Amino acid sequence: MDSEHADVDAVLNMAPTGQETEVVPQAEEPEEMPLPSDPKVIFLGGLFVLALLATAYVASEIVLPLVFAVVLNLLLQPVREYSRRCC
C-alpha cells in the first residue's frame, strides 16, 4: 500500500523519488535604471512619441466614441443596477 502512495506522491510532486529539489536564490534587482545618454536612443524615443501622437490623431474618430461609451458605462452602472433591483 505504501509503494502505491509513493508512486502517486512522485507523480503529484513531478519529481522523481530519491531526488532532492534545488532552491534557487532570487535574482538581485537593479536599484535604478539609468537614463539613456545615446543621441540615437533619444531620437528614436522622440520618433516613437510622434508616431503615437499621429496614431492617436488618426484613430480619434474610432477611439473617442469607444472611450466615451466605457466611461458612460462606468458612470451609469449604479443607476442600472438600482433600476434592476427596484423594478
Side-chain angles (χ1 to χ4, degrees), residues 20-26:
E20 294 185 20
T21 57
E22 180 182 341
V23 177
V24 179
Q26 188 176 5

Side-chain angles (χ1 to χ4, degrees), residues 4-73:
E4 183 177 328
H5 291 293
D7 292 338
V8 172
D9 289 339
V11 170
L12 290 178
N13 289 333
M14 301 297 260
T17 56
Q19 183 179 6
E20 294 185 20
T21 57
E22 180 182 341
V23 177
V24 179
Q26 188 176 5
E28 294 181 18
E29 295 181 17
E31 290 181 15
E32 195 173 304
M33 293 290 293
L35 291 175
S37 59
D38 188 18
K40 290 179 184 178
V41 173
I42 295 170
F43 179 70
L44 285 175
L47 285 178
F48 181 72
V49 168
L50 285 176
L52 281 178
L53 290 174
T55 304
Y57 178 74
V58 170
S60 66
E61 292 182 10
I62 298 170
V63 174
L64 235 59
L66 290 175
V67 170
F68 187 65
V70 169
V71 169
L72 276 179
N73 182 30

